[in-house]
Amino acid sequence: MTITGLKPDFEATLLIVKPDGIAKSLTGNILTRLSEAKLEIAAAKCLRVSRELAFEHYKHLKHKPFFDEIIDYLMGHYHPDRKKVLALVYAGANAISKVRELAGATNPEEADSCTIRGQFGRITTKGVYENVIHASSDRNEAEREIKLWFEPDEIIFDLFPTVTEKVTTQKKVWASVASKAN
Ligand code: UDP
Ligand code: MG
């Protein structure tokens, strides 16, 4: 992670409230727990996860026996009435380890019961660890994941070097704003 002009311990990390966290109305509890880390929220958005995004996010786990299930899980297939996630970037001193510590172990049954995963996670009858949040594991993963989930303009400051490119694409705009402009 190359964040220039900042202290060496400055880090940014990707946090995702997964579909079970949303479905169980845990977002408030989770963000309250995370506020203990005294980090800054540098970006946040609610989104539906495409198969491509889920696949890219977990591509390093594609040979694991649970790969198909975690793709379905992140896409919200197990929580069809709440098929979305909340993605955030937390930034500050030692952000990655601070958030991982509050998150707890991957397996919610092994996670310390005072951690977010220990408090709110479960193992489904299919064996999937529904552990309510994702948190980047190290600096390389954090940079890869933040760049995968967020465009530079969606983050309140430039965490990584950017370039400006001229792009001509179509995008959806508010109809009332568009008609005023015409
Ligand atoms: N996972 C699972 N079974 C396992 C290991 C992982 O269901 O035996 C799920 C779990 O939801 C986890 C995700 O796959 O959060 C990604 O796994 P990883 O090893 O990256 O754990 P994490 O970094 O999320 O703690
Ligand atoms: Mg991981």
Side-chain angles (χ1 to χ4, degrees), residues 78-90:
Y78 301 144
H79 305 87
D81 53 335
R82 292 283 193 284
K83 227 175 181 173
K84 62 188 174 193
V85 301
L86 180 67
L88 303 101
V89 175
Y90 278 91

Side-chain angles (χ1 to χ4, degrees), residues 141-152:
E141 274 298 277
E143 178 168 351
R144 183 186 78 82
E145 292 172 0
I146 290 168
K147 288 178 174 175
L148 174 66
W149 286 76
F150 287 92
E151 299 289 337

Side-chain angles (χ1 to χ4, degrees), residues 18 58 60-61 66 70 73 100 105-106 117 127-131 133-135 137:
K18 295 185 190 179
Y58 280 139
H60 54 292
L61 299 174
F66 52 83
I70 61 173
Y73 169 31
R100 284 288 286 199
T106 305
R117 287 168 164 181
V128 179
Y129 298 172
E130 282 193 357
N131 50 13
I133 56 170
H134 166 81
S137 54

Side-chain angles (χ1 to χ4, degrees), residues 107-133:
N107 179 338
E109 282 186 3
E110 286 173 3
D112 185 302
S113 50
C114 294
T115 60
I116 296 168
R117 287 168 164 181
Q119 271 186 299
F120 303 122
R122 66 164 191 154
I123 301 179
T124 67
T125 47
K126 277 187 168 185
V128 179
Y129 298 172
E130 282 193 357
N131 50 13
V132 300
I133 56 170

Side-chain angles (χ1 to χ4, degrees), residues 1-4 6-16 39-43 88-100 134-147 150 155-161:
M1 189 180 288
T2 49
I3 306 173
T4 45
L6 291 162
K7 289 187 180 157
D9 64 359
F10 181 91
E11 292 174 341
T13 189
L14 180 75
L15 189 285
I16 301 170
L39 298 166
E40 177 176 358
I41 295 176
L88 303 101
V89 175
Y90 278 91
N94 303 308
I96 297 168
S97 56
K98 279 183 185 162
V99 172
R100 284 288 286 199
H134 166 81
S136 304
S137 54
D138 58 57
R139 285 185 172 221
N140 287 338
E141 274 298 277
E143 178 168 351
R144 183 186 78 82
E145 292 172 0
I146 290 168
K147 288 178 174 175
F150 287 92
I155 305 177
I156 51 159
F157 45 85
D158 278 349
L159 284 174
F160 310 108

Side-chain angles (χ1 to χ4, degrees), residues 20-123:
D20 53 324
I22 303 278
K24 292 174 175 172
S25 269
L26 289 171
T27 305
N29 305 55
I30 290 166
L31 299 190
T32 300
R33 290 300 318 278
L34 290 168
S35 68
E36 290 169 28
K38 302 207 179 339
L39 298 166
E40 177 176 358
I41 295 176
K45 66 179 172 186
C46 197
L47 73 157
R48 291 218 161 86
V49 179
S50 65
R51 184 162 295 279
E52 292 69 35
L53 176 56
F55 202 95
E56 195 59 30
H57 179 75
Y58 280 139
K59 66 180 178 189
H60 54 292
L61 299 174
K62 70 169 178 271
H63 302 299
K64 298 281 185 188
F66 52 83
F67 182 69
D68 290 346
E69 283 78 10
I70 61 173
I71 296 300
D72 283 347
Y73 169 31
L74 194 59
M75 290 177 70
H77 288 180
Y78 301 144
H79 305 87
D81 53 335
R82 292 283 193 284
K83 227 175 181 173
K84 62 188 174 193
V85 301
L86 180 67
L88 303 101
V89 175
Y90 278 91
N94 303 308
I96 297 168
S97 56
K98 279 183 185 162
V99 172
R100 284 288 286 199
E101 220 166 277
L102 287 167
T106 305
N107 179 338
E109 282 186 3
E110 286 173 3
D112 185 302
S113 50
C114 294
T115 60
I116 296 168
R117 287 168 164 181
Q119 271 186 299
F120 303 122
R122 66 164 191 154
I123 301 179

